Amino acid sequence: MREVLEGSQAVAMAVARCRPGVVCAYPISPQTHIVEALSRMSRTGELTDCEYVNVESEFSAMSVSIGSSAAGSRTYTATASQGLLYMAEAVYNAAGMGLPIVMTVANRAIGAPINIWNDHSDSMAMRDAGWLQLFAMDNQEAADLHVIAFAVAEELGMPAMVCMDGFVLTHASDVVDVPSAEDIDAFLPPFRPLQSLDVENPATIGTMAGPESFTETKYLQHMRFLDAADVIASWSARFAERFGREAGGLVARFDPDTLDRSATAPPAKWDDVTVIAMGSVLGTLQAAIEPMRAAGAHVRLVGISAFRPFPTQALRDAVGASRNIVVVDRALELGAQGVLTSCVGGALVGTGSRIHSVVAGLGGRPILASSLTAVIQRAIDGDLRRLEFLDLKEGGVPAPSLGATEVSR
Amino acid sequence: MTTVHIPFMQTGTLAVGGRLLDLEERSVQSQADRPSSLTKGHRACQGCAEALAARWVMDTAVEESGGKLIVANATGCLEVFSTLYPESAWKPPWIHSLFANAAAVATGIASALRAQGRDDVRVLAQGGDGGTVDIGLAAVSGMFERNDDVLYVCYDNQGYMNTGVQRSSATPPTARTATTPAVGKAPGAPYGQGKSMPKIAMAHEIPYVATATVADLRDLESKVRTAMSMHGARYLHVLVPCPVGWGTSAAQSIALSRAAVESGIFPVLEARDGEIVATHPIRERVDVEEYLRPQARFAHLFKPGGEEGLERWRALAEANIRRFRLTEATP
Ligand SMILES: Cc1ncc(C[n+]2csc(CCOP(=O)(O)OP(=O)(O)O)c2C)c(N)n1
Ligand code: SF4
Ligand SMILES: [Mg+2]
């Protein structure tokens, strides 16, 4: 049913319809509306056979999730920013133990300075934690990705983050068709854990591994991570077939002229500038590029849907013969460039591409279509630098008026 | 060579495994088909009271649950000496996640079991004093406050033994550890530090809190039984001498546990809903010296300048005896 929903409500409904056994979370903006909705559903009966656990910290939220997933229940949690870092140790642990927890990350900046608004620094800080990271470009995809995430995570025995831009998506209302419970029941197999804490078949989980076996353990985790690309692609294709719309996948391709999302869009050509981004900024880029295309500019758009595992081959295929690359990056690798830019650089190594990093929208700074148009035009003209900060205020920000400056005099 | 005199009690509750008692009164350990939940092959040091206590606790809990027990273990000696891949000394389903989160992992297991409608399976969490009193306190307190259906057992050897005997907030004043060396003006751990986890647990008014030692294993066993007969958050705090960290011989762990109780240093008690309902009365009071002198970590108390420290220990024992009425029999 198509209805106007806030992104968080749509996600909560989709999660509830995936029938989790345990939902455990600690509130932090901009994730709060999702977990508030789920806690309400656990009381109203919309969420049955599910324990909603209120805990005292994100560290415990992930730890409870580890316990419940290991005990064989489909498990969901959500967090953002400081919360994701607060649970970091347990985030790595869940992946190492192969527990298919699904977690929404309502992407938000990391302090100091404390900032509740959107960028991608939080999930980027966890990029090597061993979790799948699936990025939503709009609220429809955010809802759909949760269904795909449970399917993929549980088949692989690997946890998955669904990343959606804080406020920009979580708090924005849009027309969304949340898959019905019946459709999800038909699509998503019941959770059959690969290994669990079972009194009938006792197992020891979480042993210590010494130098003689640690490398092999990590190697196997790595190989499994590589397998994940095919599993994501396959579940996303099945989703598209069943629900009649694209969601997830490895990279998002866009029709050269309409800029609509299209899996069959051709690869970029040698004289194209290819803009690469992930998350909701893809929508702004659609709006910025469409008129440029109409005016004859050679620009293409490619979205990263699965940031982890990084879709090296799918990205190379979509970029095609294009060698002039602009990455719109929502997180900064201090002293280097955008985080996504580094990954794109790794994927395109040996292609001779010129890769420009445009760091944009840090801490919720609005990303204007007009600013993006100007940057892309400069890439076409060949005068975009290797690293630029979109709409950087020359001269910095105003000095603090009281306190600090007064005292230091 | 020093000789250590070990009295062997033939009958009564202190008898080893209670083999001389009537069948129904015997301990789990005296049965040929005991669960041996923490089985042979682990790497605990000789005389490790943590290993001994864990075995008794676990076997009793396994028996009380009809063999349906799931265990969450914090990082620490108990975890490291029992599960070096590819071996495991644990028979029940057992999970180790992190140092600070055993209580929360246990909550997760209990929540999953509830969601699955498995009210026949019970959950136990365990950790050292570091994993409980220090780094894991928030998770333990959260589990208590929510009254989750978990029995949490803390094996208190009064320090971070696994990492080489550093101070924890359960390390008593004056004790020498690797981070509170017995040098300088105030040797050993400072005064005024350390917290009582049983009191913190009682302040949460959870259904059951108890303390025990390996000097009275039958008492430990009966407390596990009591705890397992109840639901909600339950806490058991066991004093477990560590020969390595305390600087004692392996044969002294039981005797030291008894001296800790009989001197008033370690009150053995039971509390329900935040109220103390039973204390173990001191049988034959001994001076704190009997507890302190055999331990190398307190050697400086018996050198010139150590008198003040000894007096403070005596005062602590007095305070405990007064506060917990340890010389009076309770019902
Ligand atoms: C987050 C974290 N910090 C520190 C450590 C290192 N560490 C492992 S076990 C341990 C001490 C364990 O002490 P305790 O809980 O008292 O158990 P014991 O070994 O004494 O039985 C420490 C500090 C760790 N594993 N994880
Ligand atoms: S160091 Fe202490 S606690 Fe650890 S195994 Fe040895 S005796 Fe036991
Ligand atoms: Mg300890």
Side-chain angles (χ1 to χ4, degrees):
Chain A
M1 189 178 78
R2 285 164 61 79
E3 51 195 318
V4 176
L5 286 172
E6 190 203 42
S8 298
Q9 306 303 321
V11 165
M13 285 163 68
V15 167
R17 291 172 187 179
C18 290
R19 305 189 191 283
V22 175
V23 174
C24 179
Y26 189 83
I28 181 168
S29 296
Q31 151 266 39
T32 43
H33 291 186
I34 301 174
V35 297
E36 287 167 6
L38 284 166
S39 77
R40 191 175 54 244
M41 289 183 216
S42 76
R43 301 254 174 133
T44 57
E46 287 162 87
L47 191 53
T48 49
D49 299 323
C50 176
E51 289 290 310
Y52 184 94
V53 190
N54 280 301
V55 279
E56 74 293 340
S57 73
E58 284 89 356
F59 178 70
S60 279
M62 183 50 66
S63 301
V64 166
S65 301
I66 286 170
S68 61
S69 183
S73 281
R74 179 169 288 160
T75 300
Y76 172 80
T77 185
T79 190
S81 180
Q82 315 299 135
L84 184 62
L85 294 201
Y86 199 79
M87 61 165 68
E89 190 192 11
V91 170
Y92 271 73
N93 190 256
M97 295 210 281
L99 300 171
I101 300 160
V102 169
M103 169 161 68
T104 310
V105 177
N107 289 113
R108 164 181 156 179
I110 292 170
I114 190 164
N115 175 303
I116 63 166
W117 292 278
N118 168 230
D119 67 31
H120 292 169
S121 320
D122 48 5
S123 31
M124 294 300 104
M126 288 294 115
R127 64 187 167 165
D128 298 322
W131 286 59
L132 308 171
Q133 288 197 12
L134 313 177
F135 274 79
M137 68 174 282
D138 54 29
N139 285 346
Q140 181 66 61
E141 191 175 27
D144 294 344
L145 275 179
H146 285 84
V147 184
I148 296 173
F150 277 115
V152 172
E154 290 171 8
E155 177 175 333
L156 288 163
M158 191 180 280
M161 283 180 207
V162 177
C163 305
M164 66 188 293
D165 287 318
F167 295 112
V168 178
L169 295 183
T170 54
H171 287 54
S173 292
D174 199 351
V175 179
V176 182
D177 182 0
V178 181
S180 69
E182 298 72 52
D183 284 346
I184 293 180
D185 283 345
F187 178 78
L188 177 63
F191 178 33
R192 283 193 202 86
L194 302 176
Q195 181 188 38
S196 80
L197 294 166
D198 175 3
V199 288
E200 274 83 41
N201 297 291
T204 292
I205 302 180
T207 62
M208 184 172 193
E212 67 292 340
S213 55
F214 192 80
T215 303
E216 287 67 27
T217 310
K218 286 291 144 187
Y219 176 76
L220 291 173
Q221 205 181 344
H222 166 72
M223 296 310 285
R224 196 103 180 117
F225 221 73
L226 292 181
D227 292 344
D230 285 345
V231 178
I232 293 169
S234 138
W235 276 107
S236 302
R238 274 182 267 178
F239 186 91
E241 204 173 296
R242 168 141 214 129
F243 294 92
R245 59 178 175 264
E246 250 189 73
L250 300 172
V251 301
R253 292 196 188 190
F254 296 87
D255 183 273
D257 300 313
T258 64
L259 265 300
D260 287 338
R261 193 160 165 181
S262 157
T264 54
K269 297 214 249 329
W270 69 272
D271 57 350
D272 283 329
V273 167
T274 301
V275 183
I276 300 174
M278 56 187 185
S280 62
V281 72
L282 287 166
T284 319
L285 282 162
Q286 283 173 308
I289 293 172
E290 204 249 343
M292 297 181 83
R293 286 287 308 191
H298 294 254
V299 192
R300 293 296 302 279
L301 178 62
V302 174
I304 301 292
S305 300
F307 176 70
R308 282 291 183 270
F310 197 77
T312 300
Q313 194 53 51
L315 180 64
R316 288 176 78 117
D317 293 346
V319 164
S322 159
R323 294 292 172 263
N324 195 353
I325 312 289
V326 177
V327 183
V328 178
D329 222 312
R330 311 291 313 278
L332 181 58
E333 200 175 300
L334 289 168
Q337 56 202 339
V339 179
L340 179 58
T341 310
S342 294
C343 299
V344 168
L348 298 184
V349 81
T351 60
S353 301
R354 267 168 299 134
I355 303 176
H356 310 275
S357 188
V358 176
V359 174
L362 296 186
R365 168 75 54 87
I367 303 179
L368 305 177
S370 55
S371 305
L372 289 171
T373 307
V375 155
I376 296 166
Q377 188 56 52
R378 284 170 44 221
I380 294 170
D381 298 342
D383 61 5
L384 186 63
R385 278 169 289 160
R386 200 186 61 78
L387 172 65
E388 300 212 2
F389 288 74
L390 194 73
D391 294 337
L392 185 71
K393 290 180 183 158
E394 297 299 338
V397 290
S401 51
L402 273 173
T405 43
E406 293 294 320
V407 170
S408 64
R409 262 182 214 138
Chain B
M1 206 184 97
T2 52
T3 326
V4 183
H5 179 65
I6 307 170
F8 180 67
M9 312 277 186
Q10 291 286 312
T11 57
T13 56
L14 294 178
V16 183
R19 279 189 180 79
L20 302 178
L21 293 175
D22 290 340
L23 262 182
E24 58 277 11
E25 280 177 50
R26 287 188 194 173
S27 94
V28 181
Q29 297 304 324
S30 67
Q31 298 160 12
D33 60 347
R34 60 184 188 252
S36 292
S37 327
L38 174 57
T39 191
K40 56 189 174 290
H42 64 68
R43 295 162 169 79
C45 311
Q46 231 183 26
C48 175
E50 186 164 89
L52 175 63
R55 183 191 168 91
W56 280 66
V57 166
M58 199 63 60
D59 278 359
T60 313
V62 163
E63 198 184 66
E64 289 299 301
S65 66
K68 294 180 181 175
L69 184 78
I70 299 179
V71 185
N73 208 127
T75 311
C77 270
L78 182 57
E79 164 260 333
V80 170
F81 72 58
S82 61
T83 56
L84 187 55
Y85 183 84
E87 289 162 2
S88 169
W90 298 102
K91 287 196 187 167
W94 181 98
I95 185 170
H96 159 253
S97 171
L98 297 168
F99 188 19
N101 71 357
V105 170
T107 293
I109 298 168
S111 306
L113 292 171
R114 257 169 75 121
Q116 295 162 15
R118 294 287 310 251
D119 54 8
D120 55 328
V121 182
R122 308 300 305 274
V123 185
L124 186 147
Q126 55 185 0
D129 48 292
T132 307
V133 185
D134 283 334
I135 199 165
L137 184 59
V140 172
S141 170
M143 188 275 277
F144 286 169
E145 176 271 327
R146 292 184 301 268
N147 199 24
D148 294 328
D149 193 11
V150 172
L151 168 58
Y152 190 101
V153 185
C154 170
Y155 302 102
D156 179 9
N157 51 24
Q158 305 187 333
Y160 300 147
M161 300 319 181
N162 183 53
T163 36
V165 196
Q166 297 86 13
R167 186 207 86 108
S168 82
S169 64
T171 301
T174 71
R176 177 206 70 195
T177 68
T179 50
T180 54
V183 293
K185 269 200 207 132
Y191 291 106
Q193 295 190 4
K195 39 188 157 174
S196 161
M197 195 59 210
K199 278 196 239 162
I200 293 171
M202 278 188 263
H204 288 75
E205 301 190 2
I206 55 175
Y208 189 68
V209 174
T211 64
T213 74
V214 292
D216 192 346
L217 288 162
R218 299 302 305 275
D219 176 64
L220 172 63
E221 192 178 280
S222 94
K223 281 168 176 163
V224 176
R225 277 194 215 287
T226 307
M228 291 296 292
S229 73
M230 305 166 80
H231 285 271
R234 290 142 292 146
Y235 180 71
L236 184 57
H237 189 105
V238 193
L239 181 70
V240 287
C242 160
V244 174
W246 293 17
T248 56
S249 87
Q252 284 170 310
S253 295
I254 307 281
L256 281 173
S257 299
R258 183 164 301 125
V261 176
E262 298 295 300
S263 62
I265 293 298
F266 187 83
V268 172
L269 53 85
E270 270 180 304
R272 290 181 187 236
D273 305 319
E275 304 272 348
I276 294 180
V277 293
T279 50
H280 173 92
I282 290 174
R283 291 177 198 227
E284 260 177 83
R285 186 162 174 197
V286 297
D287 184 59
V288 293
E289 200 176 328
E290 184 154 333
Y291 172 66
L292 300 170
R293 196 183 271 279
Q295 305 184 44
R297 63 176 175 157
F298 297 119
H300 50 283
L301 295 179
F302 300 96
K303 292 189 182 135
E307 301 79 10
E308 192 208 330
L310 266 183
E311 280 319 308
R312 290 182 82 142
W313 271 100
R314 288 200 178 94
L316 172 74
E318 277 305 329
N320 279 342
I321 288 168
R322 212 173 41 245
R323 185 179 294 147
F324 299 103
R325 304 199 187 142
L326 297 178
T327 46
E328 300 164 30
T330 48

